[in-house]
Every structure is written in structure tokens, then in C-alpha cells.
Amino acid sequence: MPKPIERSANYDYYADILWCCVPLMVMAWFYYGPRPLLLMLVGLFTAYICDCLVTPLHGPQYRSHEPSSEAFAALIVLMMPASVPYGIVVTAVIMAVLLKETFGGEGHYPFHPAAVGMAVAALSWPDQVFRYPVPGTELPLWHVPADTLSAGMNTTLSSGGLPSDTTMNLLTGSVAGPLGTGAILVILACGLFLLCRGHLQLSTLLPYLIVCIAVPWLLPQLNDLPVLSFPWEYVRQRVYLEKYIILSGSMLFGGIFLACEPVTQPVRLSSRIIYGLLLGVATTAFRYNTVYETGICFALLIVGAFPEWLDRVARRTERMKFMKKEEKRRAQRAKPEAI
């Protein structure tokens, strides 16, 4: 009998991530034609080839049916514009897989590989990665003219302005932005699916979302508002700002598909709460100070240095609490004997 295939501990998570990419790619195909599908195929094929070439170096630990690299490639493509050159996608995916395998493969990397690949591409080719075609334009399969591209909404938000896109366009993804971060209704449906499947840790996601929403309300970056104002003042302007903060860019996409990655987030409950808060602060800082639509990738690289330390502090704190409880219990037992 053939030996049964041993699946990795997070196999179901990465398989479900790939399934969630399907409706997002359907929306991209609807708005831009077949080019996004070809970008996705190039990314997935690159990840598969890299896995076949690199992971056998791990010897008996190699799992030929472990889909994490393909999931990271799919996420990278969804954070790219539909006009991005294929070579940039290939480079970003290679960097993601190399990072994963450098630290021992699936389950051992300290930073989210998709965030690393996206950050490398963003710093190397910002003009190609952060300029986007107009939705509804069927793009040519190969070269897309640069004069047909425009900046994303975070360029307007970071400069203190408000975009002009309607709420319906924001919900359906008919806005200039990355391939998979615009269709908010589809992203929320994917998030609900992942939550029902047990893949989303609310102890990480909710603190992250609370900070991303609360900071712009308390410290709005709007040219029409004074630098300092009370939270109950200029409510209308704050509501409009929050609409674009929540429904544009990659805040929700990053929280659902990146922040709750099972390998890179902390293990303990208290650590995940702190991790989510730190990630929200870092993401908001990048949104305020850069034009990057996918600033959460850079935030993940910064905050990704803390999960292990947070877990270590949490374990030490729990041990100290346990020892104090034991001392009290022993003291209470010793009192009757002393009498």
C-alpha cells in the first residue's frame, strides 16, 4: 500500500486562503479582463517551481503537497496592480519562498513571506507597484502604457484630502487600487468563511481594527480640520474619513488575510491582543506618512519581530502569577497548623 501523504499542521488554512482568492480573482477579471488571471498563474507557477527546487534540501521534512508557497504567491498577486509587469511578480514570489525556506520551511519563518515579497517589490519598483489602471478597462496581456495609470486613494488620504469614489464603488471594488483589496463585500464574505473555518483569531483581528479605526477618528488627517480638535467635533468630516479608511486600501484585506497568519502571530491570548494593537499602530503610521496602499506589509515586518518575545513575557507573567497563588495557598494551609 502507498504511504499516506502527511499534511502540514496548517494545510487547511492555506488551502482555504487559496479558495478565498478565487472570488477576488473573478472580480479582477470582471474589471480588467484576463490579464489578472495570467498574473495569478505566473505567481502560482513560480511558487510551485521554487518549492520543488528548494524544499527538498530539508530532506525527510519535505512535504510535496504543502500549499503555503502558493498561498503566499496568490496574496502577493492580489496586492499588486493589474498592470504590474510579470517579472515583478516573479521576483516578489521568489523572495517570499526563499524567506520561507531559509528559516526551515512552513511553520518556522518569523516574518510573513507574502509581506516580505511585497515589500521588496514596493521598494524596488514603486512606480509599477503603486500606480493602478482605471477599473472597467480591459488591459492588454503584455505591456500596459504608463500614461493610463493613476495613484491610489492613499495618496489623497496621506496628503489630507478625501477621495471622490462613491460608497457603492468602494463596496464592489470599482476603484483604482490593488487587484484584490478593493471589493470589500467579497473580502468580508471571505473573512466570514475563514472565521467559520476557525482560521481567524479575533484576539488579533479586533485590536488591529480598533486601532486602525480609532486613531483616524481621534487624530484625523484632514486639511479641512484643525490640527487638534475634540472627538465630538466635525463629526460629519470624521465619518467621511472613516468611510475611506475602512473601505479603501488594504486595511481589511491585511487584517483578514495577513494579520492572522498562524505561524507569524503569537500563540497566547494576551500576546495576540498586544500584537494586534501594535500592528494597528504601525499600519496607521504607514498610512499617515506614505502613499503605499499596502502599508500593512511594512507594518508586519516591524511588528513581526515581537511575537516570540510577547509569548515569552506572557509565559513568565503566568508563571509568576501561578507561583504567587501557590505561596498564598501554602500560607493558608500553614495557618491552622500554627494555631
Coordinates of all heavy atoms in Angstrom, one line a residue, residues 258-321:
L258 N -3.6 38.6 6.2 CA -2.2 38.7 6.6 C -2.0 38.7 8.1 O -1.1 37.9 8.6 CB -1.6 39.9 6.0 CG -1.6 40.1 4.5 CD1 -1.0 41.4 4.1 CD2 -0.8 38.9 3.8
A259 N -2.8 39.5 8.9 CA -2.5 39.6 10.3 C -2.7 38.3 11.1 O -2.0 38.1 12.1 CB -3.4 40.7 10.9
C260 N -3.6 37.5 10.7 CA -4.0 36.3 11.4 C -3.3 35.0 10.9 O -3.7 33.9 11.1 CB -5.5 36.1 11.4 SG -6.4 37.4 12.2
E261 N -2.2 35.2 10.2 CA -1.4 34.1 9.7 C -0.9 33.2 10.9 O -0.4 33.8 11.9 CB -0.2 34.6 8.9 CG 0.3 33.7 7.8 CD 1.2 32.6 8.3 OE1 1.8 32.8 9.4 OE2 1.4 31.6 7.6
P262 N -1.2 31.9 10.9 CA -1.0 31.1 12.1 C 0.5 31.0 12.6 O 0.7 30.7 13.8 CB -1.6 29.7 11.8 CG -1.5 29.7 10.3 CD -1.8 31.1 9.8
V263 N 1.4 31.1 11.7 CA 2.8 30.9 12.0 C 3.4 32.2 12.6 O 4.2 32.2 13.6 CB 3.7 30.5 10.8 CG1 5.1 30.4 11.1 CG2 3.1 29.2 10.3
T264 N 3.1 33.4 12.1 CA 3.7 34.6 12.5 C 3.1 35.3 13.6 O 3.7 36.2 14.3 CB 3.8 35.6 11.3 OG1 2.5 35.8 10.8 CG2 4.7 35.0 10.2
Q265 N 1.8 35.0 13.9 CA 1.2 35.7 15.1 C 1.5 35.0 16.4 O 1.9 33.8 16.3 CB -0.3 35.8 14.9 CG -1.1 34.5 14.9 CD -2.6 34.6 14.9 OE1 -3.1 35.7 15.0 NE2 -3.3 33.5 14.6
P266 N 1.4 35.6 17.5 CA 1.7 35.0 18.8 C 0.7 33.8 19.1 O -0.3 33.7 18.5 CB 1.6 36.1 19.8 CG 1.7 37.4 19.0 CD 1.1 37.0 17.7
V267 N 1.1 33.0 20.1 CA 0.3 31.9 20.4 C -0.7 32.2 21.6 O -1.8 31.8 21.5 CB 1.2 30.7 20.9 CG1 0.4 29.5 21.4 CG2 2.1 30.3 19.7
R268 N -0.2 32.9 22.5 CA -1.0 33.2 23.7 C -2.0 34.3 23.5 O -1.7 35.3 22.7 CB -0.1 33.4 24.9 CG 0.7 32.2 25.3 CD 1.6 32.5 26.5 NE 2.4 31.3 26.8 CZ 2.0 30.3 27.6 NH1 0.8 30.5 28.3 NH2 2.7 29.3 27.8
L269 N -3.1 34.3 24.2 CA -4.2 35.3 24.1 C -3.7 36.7 24.3 O -3.9 37.6 23.5 CB -5.4 34.9 25.0 CG -6.6 35.9 25.0 CD1 -7.2 36.0 23.6 CD2 -7.6 35.5 26.1
S270 N -3.1 36.9 25.5 CA -2.7 38.3 25.8 C -1.6 38.8 24.8 O -1.6 40.0 24.5 CB -2.1 38.3 27.2 OG -1.0 37.4 27.3
S271 N -0.8 37.9 24.3 CA 0.2 38.3 23.3 C -0.4 38.7 22.0 O 0.0 39.6 21.4 CB 1.2 37.1 23.1 OG 1.9 36.8 24.3
R272 N -1.5 38.0 21.6 CA -2.2 38.3 20.4 C -2.9 39.6 20.5 O -2.9 40.4 19.5 CB -3.2 37.2 20.0 CG -2.5 35.9 19.5 CD -3.5 35.0 18.8 NE -4.6 34.6 19.6 CZ -4.7 33.5 20.3 NH1 -3.7 32.6 20.2 NH2 -5.7 33.2 21.0
I273 N -3.4 40.0 21.6 CA -4.1 41.3 21.8 C -3.0 42.4 21.6 O -3.3 43.4 20.9 CB -4.7 41.4 23.1 CG1 -5.9 40.4 23.2 CG2 -5.2 42.8 23.4 CD1 -6.6 40.3 24.6
I274 N -1.9 42.3 22.3 CA -0.9 43.3 22.2 C -0.3 43.3 20.7 O -0.1 44.4 20.2 CB 0.3 43.0 23.2 CG1 -0.3 43.1 24.6 CG2 1.4 44.0 23.0 CD1 0.7 42.6 25.6
Y275 N -0.2 42.2 20.1 CA 0.3 42.1 18.7 C -0.6 42.8 17.8 O -0.2 43.6 16.9 CB 0.5 40.7 18.3 CG 0.8 40.4 16.9 CD1 2.1 40.5 16.5 CD2 -0.1 40.0 16.0 CE1 2.5 40.3 15.1 CE2 0.2 39.7 14.7 CZ 1.5 39.9 14.2 OH 1.9 39.7 12.9
G276 N -1.9 42.6 18.0 CA -2.9 43.3 17.1 C -2.9 44.8 17.3 O -3.0 45.6 16.3
L277 N -2.7 45.3 18.6 CA -2.6 46.7 18.8 C -1.4 47.3 18.2 O -1.5 48.4 17.5 CB -2.6 46.9 20.3 CG -3.9 46.6 21.1 CD1 -3.7 46.7 22.6 CD2 -5.1 47.4 20.7
L278 N -0.3 46.7 18.3 CA 1.0 47.2 17.7 C 0.9 47.2 16.2 O 1.3 48.2 15.5 CB 2.2 46.3 18.1 CG 2.6 46.4 19.6 CD1 3.7 45.3 19.9 CD2 3.0 47.8 20.0
L279 N 0.3 46.2 15.6 CA 0.1 46.1 14.2 C -0.8 47.2 13.7 O -0.6 47.9 12.6 CB -0.4 44.8 13.7 CG -0.6 44.5 12.2 CD1 0.8 44.6 11.6 CD2 -1.1 43.1 12.0
G280 N -1.9 47.5 14.4 CA -2.7 48.6 14.1 C -2.0 50.0 14.1 O -2.2 50.8 13.2
V281 N -1.2 50.2 15.1 CA -0.4 51.4 15.2 C 0.5 51.6 14.1 O 0.6 52.6 13.5 CB 0.3 51.5 16.6 CG1 1.3 52.7 16.6 CG2 -0.7 51.6 17.8
A282 N 1.3 50.5 13.8 CA 2.2 50.6 12.7 C 1.6 50.8 11.3 O 2.1 51.6 10.5 CB 3.1 49.3 12.7
T283 N 0.5 50.1 11.1 CA -0.3 50.2 9.8 C -0.8 51.7 9.7 O -0.7 52.3 8.6 CB -1.4 49.2 9.8 OG1 -0.9 47.9 9.9 CG2 -2.2 49.4 8.5
T284 N -1.3 52.2 10.7 CA -1.8 53.6 10.7 C -0.7 54.6 10.4 O -0.8 55.6 9.7 CB -2.5 54.0 12.0 OG1 -3.6 53.0 12.2 CG2 -3.1 55.4 11.9
A285 N 0.5 54.4 11.1 CA 1.6 55.2 10.8 C 2.1 55.2 9.4 O 2.4 56.3 8.8 CB 2.8 54.8 11.8
F286 N 2.1 54.0 8.8 CA 2.5 54.0 7.4 C 1.4 54.6 6.5 O 1.8 55.2 5.4 CB 2.7 52.5 6.9 CG 4.1 52.0 7.2 CD1 4.3 51.2 8.3 CD2 5.1 52.3 6.4 CE1 5.6 50.7 8.6 CE2 6.4 51.9 6.7 CZ 6.6 51.1 7.8
R287 N 0.1 54.5 6.8 CA -0.9 55.2 6.0 C -0.8 56.7 6.1 O -1.0 57.4 5.2 CB -2.3 54.7 6.5 CG -3.4 55.2 5.6 CD -4.7 55.1 6.2 NE -4.9 56.0 7.3 CZ -5.1 57.3 7.2 NH1 -5.2 57.9 6.0 NH2 -5.3 58.1 8.3
Y288 N -0.4 57.2 7.3 CA -0.3 58.7 7.5 C 0.9 59.2 6.8 O 0.8 60.4 6.3 CB -0.2 59.0 9.0 CG -1.5 59.2 9.7 CD1 -2.6 58.4 9.4 CD2 -1.6 60.2 10.7 CE1 -3.8 58.6 10.1 CE2 -2.8 60.3 11.4 CZ -3.9 59.6 11.1 OH -5.1 59.7 11.7
N289 N 2.0 58.5 6.7 CA 3.3 59.1 6.3 C 3.8 58.6 4.9 O 4.8 59.0 4.5 CB 4.3 58.8 7.3 CG 4.0 59.4 8.7 OD1 4.0 60.6 8.8 ND2 3.7 58.6 9.7
T290 N 3.0 57.7 4.3 CA 3.5 57.2 3.0 C 2.3 57.1 2.1 O 1.1 57.2 2.5 CB 4.1 55.8 3.1 OG1 3.1 54.8 3.4 CG2 5.2 55.7 4.1
V291 N 2.5 56.9 0.8 CA 1.4 56.8 -0.2 C 1.2 55.3 -0.5 O 0.4 55.0 -1.4 CB 1.8 57.5 -1.5 CG1 1.9 59.0 -1.2 CG2 3.1 57.0 -2.1
Y292 N 1.8 54.4 0.2 CA 1.7 53.0 0.0 C 0.3 52.5 0.3 O -0.2 52.6 1.4 CB 2.7 52.2 0.8 CG 4.2 52.5 0.4 CD1 5.2 52.2 1.3 CD2 4.5 53.0 -0.8 CE1 6.5 52.4 1.0 CE2 5.8 53.3 -1.1 CZ 6.8 53.0 -0.2 OH 8.1 53.3 -0.6
E293 N -0.3 51.8 -0.7 CA -1.7 51.2 -0.4 C -1.6 50.0 0.4 O -2.5 49.7 1.1 CB -2.3 50.9 -1.8 CG -2.6 52.0 -2.7 CD -3.7 52.9 -2.2 OE1 -4.7 52.4 -1.7 OE2 -3.6 54.1 -2.4
T294 N -0.4 49.3 0.4 CA -0.3 48.1 1.2 C 0.8 48.3 2.3 O 1.7 47.6 2.5 CB 0.2 47.0 0.3 OG1 1.4 47.4 -0.5 CG2 -0.9 46.6 -0.7
G295 N 0.5 49.4 3.1 CA 1.5 49.7 4.2 C 1.5 48.6 5.2 O 2.5 48.5 6.0
I296 N 0.4 47.8 5.3 CA 0.4 46.8 6.3 C 1.6 45.8 6.1 O 2.0 45.1 7.1 CB -0.9 46.0 6.3 CG1 -1.0 45.1 7.5 CG2 -1.2 45.3 5.0 CD1 -2.3 44.4 7.7
C297 N 2.0 45.6 4.9 CA 3.2 44.7 4.7 C 4.4 45.2 5.4 O 5.1 44.4 6.0 CB 3.5 44.6 3.2 SG 2.1 43.8 2.3
F298 N 4.7 46.5 5.4 CA 5.8 47.0 6.1 C 5.6 47.0 7.6 O 6.5 46.8 8.4 CB 6.1 48.5 5.7 CG 6.4 48.6 4.2 CD1 5.5 48.9 3.3 CD2 7.7 48.5 3.8 CE1 5.8 49.0 1.9 CE2 8.1 48.6 2.5 CZ 7.1 48.8 1.5
A299 N 4.3 47.2 8.0 CA 4.0 47.1 9.4 C 4.2 45.7 10.0 O 4.7 45.5 11.1 CB 2.5 47.5 9.7
L300 N 3.9 44.7 9.1 CA 4.1 43.3 9.5 C 5.6 43.0 9.7 O 6.0 42.2 10.6 CB 3.5 42.4 8.5 CG 2.0 42.1 8.6 CD1 1.5 41.5 7.3 CD2 1.6 41.3 9.8
L301 N 6.4 43.6 8.9 CA 7.9 43.4 9.0 C 8.4 43.9 10.3 O 9.3 43.4 10.9 CB 8.6 43.9 7.8 CG 8.3 43.4 6.5 CD1 9.1 43.9 5.4 CD2 8.4 41.8 6.5
I302 N 7.8 45.1 10.8 CA 8.3 45.7 12.0 C 7.7 44.9 13.2 O 8.5 44.5 14.1 CB 7.9 47.2 12.1 CG1 8.6 48.0 11.0 CG2 8.2 47.8 13.4 CD1 8.1 49.4 10.8
V303 N 6.4 44.7 13.2 CA 5.8 44.1 14.4 C 6.1 42.6 14.4 O 6.0 42.0 15.5 CB 4.3 44.3 14.3 CG1 3.6 43.7 15.5 CG2 4.0 45.8 14.3
G304 N 6.5 42.0 13.3 CA 6.9 40.6 13.3 C 8.1 40.2 14.1 O 8.3 39.0 14.4
A305 N 8.8 41.2 14.6 CA 9.9 40.9 15.5 C 9.5 40.7 16.9 O 10.3 40.2 17.8 CB 10.9 42.1 15.4
F306 N 8.2 40.9 17.3 CA 7.8 40.9 18.7 C 7.0 39.6 19.1 O 7.0 39.4 20.3 CB 6.9 42.1 19.0 CG 7.6 43.4 18.9 CD1 7.5 44.2 17.7 CD2 8.5 43.8 19.9 CE1 8.1 45.4 17.6 CE2 9.2 45.0 19.7 CZ 9.0 45.8 18.6
P307 N 6.4 38.8 18.2 CA 5.5 37.7 18.7 C 6.2 36.8 19.7 O 5.7 36.4 20.8 CB 5.1 37.0 17.4 CG 5.1 38.1 16.4 CD 6.2 39.0 16.8
E308 N 7.4 36.3 19.4 CA 8.1 35.4 20.2 C 8.4 36.0 21.6 O 8.3 35.4 22.6 CB 9.4 34.8 19.6 CG 10.1 33.8 20.4 CD 11.3 33.2 19.7 OE1 11.5 33.6 18.5 OE2 12.0 32.4 20.3
W309 N 8.9 37.3 21.6 CA 9.1 37.9 22.8 C 7.9 38.2 23.6 O 7.9 38.0 24.9 CB 9.8 39.3 22.5 CG 10.1 40.1 23.7 CD1 11.1 40.0 24.6 CD2 9.3 41.2 24.2 NE1 11.1 40.9 25.6 CE2 10.0 41.7 25.4 CE3 8.2 41.9 23.8 CZ2 9.5 42.8 26.1 CZ3 7.7 42.9 24.5 CH2 8.3 43.4 25.6
L310 N 6.8 38.5 23.0 CA 5.5 38.6 23.7 C 5.1 37.3 24.3 O 4.6 37.3 25.5 CB 4.4 39.1 22.7 CG 4.6 40.6 22.2 CD1 3.5 40.9 21.1 CD2 4.5 41.6 23.3
D311 N 5.2 36.2 23.6 CA 4.8 34.9 24.2 C 5.7 34.6 25.4 O 5.3 34.1 26.4 CB 5.0 33.8 23.1 CG 3.7 33.8 22.2 OD1 2.7 34.2 22.7 OD2 3.9 33.3 21.1
R312 N 7.0 34.9 25.3 CA 8.0 34.7 26.4 C 7.6 35.5 27.6 O 7.6 35.0 28.8 CB 9.4 35.0 25.9 CG 10.4 34.5 26.9 CD 11.8 34.8 26.3 NE 12.0 34.3 25.0 CZ 13.0 34.6 24.2 NH1 13.9 35.5 24.5 NH2 13.0 34.0 23.0
V313 N 7.2 36.8 27.4 CA 6.8 37.6 28.5 C 5.5 37.1 29.1 O 5.3 37.1 30.4 CB 6.7 39.1 28.1 CG1 6.0 39.9 29.2 CG2 8.0 39.6 27.7
A314 N 4.6 36.7 28.3 CA 3.3 36.1 28.8 C 3.5 34.9 29.6 O 2.9 34.7 30.7 CB 2.4 35.9 27.6
R315 N 4.4 34.0 29.1 CA 4.7 32.8 29.9 C 5.3 33.1 31.3 O 5.0 32.5 32.3 CB 5.6 31.8 29.1 CG 5.0 31.1 28.0 CD 5.8 30.0 27.5 NE 7.1 30.5 26.9 CZ 7.3 30.8 25.7 NH1 6.3 30.6 24.8 NH2 8.5 31.2 25.2
R316 N 6.2 34.0 31.3 CA 6.9 34.4 32.5 C 5.9 35.1 33.5 O 5.9 34.8 34.7 CB 8.0 35.4 32.2 CG 8.9 35.7 33.4 CD 10.0 36.6 33.0 NE 10.9 35.9 32.0 CZ 11.9 36.5 31.3 NH1 12.1 37.8 31.5 NH2 12.6 35.8 30.4
T317 N 5.0 35.9 32.9 CA 3.9 36.5 33.8 C 3.0 35.5 34.4 O 2.6 35.5 35.6 CB 3.2 37.5 33.0 OG1 4.1 38.5 32.4 CG2 2.1 38.2 33.8
E318 N 2.6 34.5 33.5 CA 1.7 33.4 34.0 C 2.4 32.6 35.1 O 1.8 32.2 36.1 CB 1.3 32.6 32.8 CG 0.3 33.3 31.9 CD 0.0 32.4 30.6 OE1 0.5 31.3 30.6 OE2 -0.7 32.9 29.7
R319 N 3.7 32.3 34.9 CA 4.4 31.6 35.9 C 4.5 32.3 37.2 O 4.4 31.7 38.3 CB 5.8 31.3 35.3 CG 6.6 30.2 36.2 CD 8.0 29.9 35.6 NE 7.9 29.4 34.3 CZ 8.4 30.1 33.2 NH1 8.9 31.2 33.3 NH2 8.3 29.5 32.0
M320 N 4.8 33.6 37.1 CA 4.8 34.4 38.4 C 3.5 34.4 39.1 O 3.4 34.3 40.3 CB 5.3 35.8 38.1 CG 6.7 35.9 37.6 SD 7.2 37.6 37.0 CE 7.0 38.5 38.6
K321 N 2.4 34.6 38.3 CA 1.1 34.5 39.0 C 0.8 33.2 39.6 O 0.2 33.1 40.7 CB 0.0 34.9 37.9 CG 0.0 36.3 37.4 CD -1.1 36.5 36.4 CE -1.2 38.0 36.0 NZ -2.3 38.2 34.9

